[in-house]
Amino acid sequence: MRLEGKKILLIIGGGIAAYKSLELIRAIRKEGGEVKTILTKAGTEFVTPLSVASLSGHHVYQDLFSLTDETEMGHIELSRSADLVVVAPATADLMAKAAQGLANDLASTTLLATDKRVLMAPAMNVRMWLHPATQRNVACLKQDGIGLIGPDEGAMACGEFGPGRMAEPLAILEVVIATLSAPASLPLSGKHVVITSGPTHEPIDPVRYIANRSSGKQGHAIARAAAKAGARVTLISGPVTLPDPEGVQVIHVEDARAMLQAVEQALPADVAIFCAAVADWRVASAGTQKIKKEKAGPPHIELTENPDILATIAQAKTHRPPLVIGFAAETEHVLAHAQAKRIKKQCDWIVANDVSPASGVMGGDQNTVHLLRGETVSSWPLMDKTAVAEALVHEIALALKTSSHENQ
Ligand code: C5P
């Protein structure tokens, strides 16, 4: 019984796949879990409240303004009393409402009011799933930290073929179990880690920008490793071609000033890791119209300094994370330059790497790094960026554990 003592709130939307939710209720209960349900009005077109109530063994909540429902358990309490909220089937409409933060029925209000993790199993026609509006909503939901299960690809009730089928109940069950059994004892459980990654694009005019070659691979790998270690991760990413890491809240930004603002909004955090290759300068007054090719020759572009995000946060008077980590990509005198940078910016640790052309690491999948903690230097061998990320997260977990013991 892998869900003993766990409480799941299941929101059943109005889709033909709603019949599979009945199987899901049975499967969760078989594993020892308790299921309370919200059935949307459209959901009642596909399954009856009586079947849902019989299988779950509980009252079915249907109405935001129902006196009986509210006296039994108010919608806010309903949204908080569960360990996990699962939406299956998650219709295009329910997903759109949740992405926009609408609260005009019991299901959407509950999704807005909950402080618990939410999983959604989308189910809809393939065209509806592939529609840019739905894909926009999917991106928003992922960014809000909502986990998506499926949809599967295959033949659909409407006779079409493609992605849009709801994941099978047993597949949903496994994700529910994995989500709930992420032990509270993972090395970074309960910690919030903020990470910057990728380059920044500094606009010259609406069509041109100044950029650099950062791939974001290292920052994204650290985000994945921190999430795997149980942390709540906010990844603030400049423009990259990498997919958003799963289970991570990703905030996409373009330029340095937006990156700083996003970092400040993401605080407080237990750890902040500044991996982004932030442009040092931006165009002093970026054109609002495309700069025309004049006969007089190329335009004169005046640059001005960007905020140093790492230094700003490391020296912040309020909300300075207890552990602030910077990166130093150097082409010569790697350790000396990195140490000077750590002291100047006032961060706690600095991860230095050699990016001289001879090292061949820039933009690649591997990295040779040195970890500078105060005067202590640990040099790691050439490793995959994923291994560097995991080793760094391991060191972070050890440091947080030590400092929490020291504070006890
Ligand atoms: O000074 P330099 O760019 O070499 O410093 C690198 C470190 O500072 C990295 O951790 C980088 O993410 C951070 N940084 C920043 N904001 C800037 C410039 C660098 O956060 N404007």
Side-chain angles (χ1 to χ4, degrees):
M1 301 258 268
R2 294 175 294 167
L3 288 174
E4 194 72 63
K6 298 292 183 199
K7 295 189 182 120
I8 287 112
L9 176 66
L10 175 65
I11 299 179
I12 305 175
I16 182 71
Y19 77 92
K20 291 196 202 168
S21 310
L22 300 179
E23 264 176 81
L24 178 61
I25 297 173
R26 290 187 53 193
I28 294 173
R29 293 195 67 196
K30 228 168 126 188
E31 289 286 353
E34 185 187 72
V35 190
K36 290 213 169 122
T37 52
I38 292 177
L39 183 59
T40 66
K41 192 154 179 294
T44 60
E45 302 286 341
F46 296 92
V47 290
T48 68
L50 188 59
S51 351
V52 177
S54 311
L55 285 170
S56 67
H58 281 293
H59 174 82
V60 181
Y61 296 86
Q62 290 179 264
D63 242 328
L64 185 56
F65 301 114
S66 148
L67 197 53
T68 33
D69 281 10
E70 280 292 305
T71 3
E72 188 158 318
M73 187 185 273
H75 61 274
I76 301 288
E77 197 186 335
L78 188 61
S79 72
R80 309 266 166 92
S81 62
D83 298 304
L84 179 70
V85 181
V86 180
V87 189
T91 59
D93 178 66
L94 253 178
M95 291 172 70
K97 280 183 185 165
Q100 294 303 312
L102 291 182
N104 57 5
D105 59 12
L106 183 59
S108 54
T109 306
T110 305
L111 285 169
L112 197 61
T114 191
D115 58 352
K116 296 296 168 5
R117 275 172 295 175
V118 177
L119 296 175
M120 288 190 174
M124 66 197 74
N125 166 275
V126 54
R127 299 277 149 235
M128 292 169 75
W129 171 255
L130 294 175
H131 194 284
T134 303
Q135 290 305 310
R136 260 197 316 274
N137 293 332
V138 166
C140 277
L141 293 167
K142 281 188 182 164
Q143 194 170 330
D144 290 346
I146 290 176
L148 292 195
I149 314 166
D152 289 350
E153 198 167 306
M156 313 194 67
C158 51
E160 288 187 69
F161 188 91
R165 280 166 60 98
M166 187 169 98
E168 290 305 318
L170 291 183
I172 300 176
L173 176 74
E174 288 308 318
V175 181
V176 167
I177 292 170
T179 310
L180 284 173
S181 55
S185 58
L186 278 174
L188 289 181
S189 293
K191 303 293 180 197
H192 181 206
V193 180
V194 171
I195 303 165
T196 67
S197 182
T200 61
H201 284 182
E202 306 297 331
I204 296 171
D205 65 19
V207 297
R208 305 180 179 97
Y209 56 81
I210 301 173
N212 62 63
R213 292 187 197 281
S214 167
S215 65
K217 283 180 188 165
Q218 188 63 80
H220 278 55
I222 295 170
R224 264 195 310 277
K228 211 167 107 191
R232 174 164 79 85
V233 181
T234 309
L235 174 66
I236 296 149
S237 174
V240 293
T241 54
L242 303 170
D244 289 351
E246 269 182 35
V248 166
Q249 184 178 2
V250 186
I251 298 168
H252 296 274
V253 296
E254 292 279 326
D255 60 29
R257 287 180 296 171
M259 188 173 270
L260 173 60
Q261 197 183 16
V263 170
E264 284 172 335
Q265 274 169 8
L267 297 179
D270 299 281
V271 187
I273 308 168
F274 296 89
C275 214
V278 184
D280 290 317
W281 305 285
R282 66 174 183 275
V283 176
S285 48
T288 51
Q289 302 296 333
K290 185 177 171 189
I291 303 169
K292 305 306 284 178
K293 214 190 294 178
E294 301 293 354
K295 286 206 186 73
H300 174 75
I301 294 177
E302 197 183 325
L303 298 177
T304 184
E305 203 157 318
N306 260 333
D308 188 313
I309 306 171
L310 167 61
T312 307
I313 301 300
Q315 294 162 32
K317 298 273 176 289
T318 54
H319 290 322
R320 183 200 193 273
L323 184 56
V324 176
I325 305 174
F327 271 71
E330 306 292 343
T331 54
E332 58 174 354
H333 309 301
V334 177
L335 291 182
H337 284 173
Q339 192 61 280
K341 202 164 280 182
R342 189 186 69 76
I343 292 163
K344 181 167 158 235
K345 301 202 184 203
Q346 296 180 28
C347 56
D348 304 300
W349 298 0
I350 213 150
V351 182
N353 62 345
D354 183 350
V355 290
S356 59
S359 75
V361 299
M362 192 77 183
D365 291 324
Q366 295 186 315
N367 223 344
T368 308
V369 307
H370 312 270
L371 178 59
L372 283 74
R373 290 173 279 197
E375 295 304 314
T376 318
V377 180
S378 325
S379 295
W380 296 345
L382 177 68
M383 292 198 276
D384 277 354
K385 287 185 175 172
T386 313
V388 170
E390 281 169 3
L392 182 65
V393 163
H394 176 72
E395 294 300 330
I396 290 169
L398 286 180
L400 293 186
K401 206 164 137 200
T402 315
S403 71
S404 77
H405 283 313
E406 279 167 2
N407 291 337
Q408 271 165 15

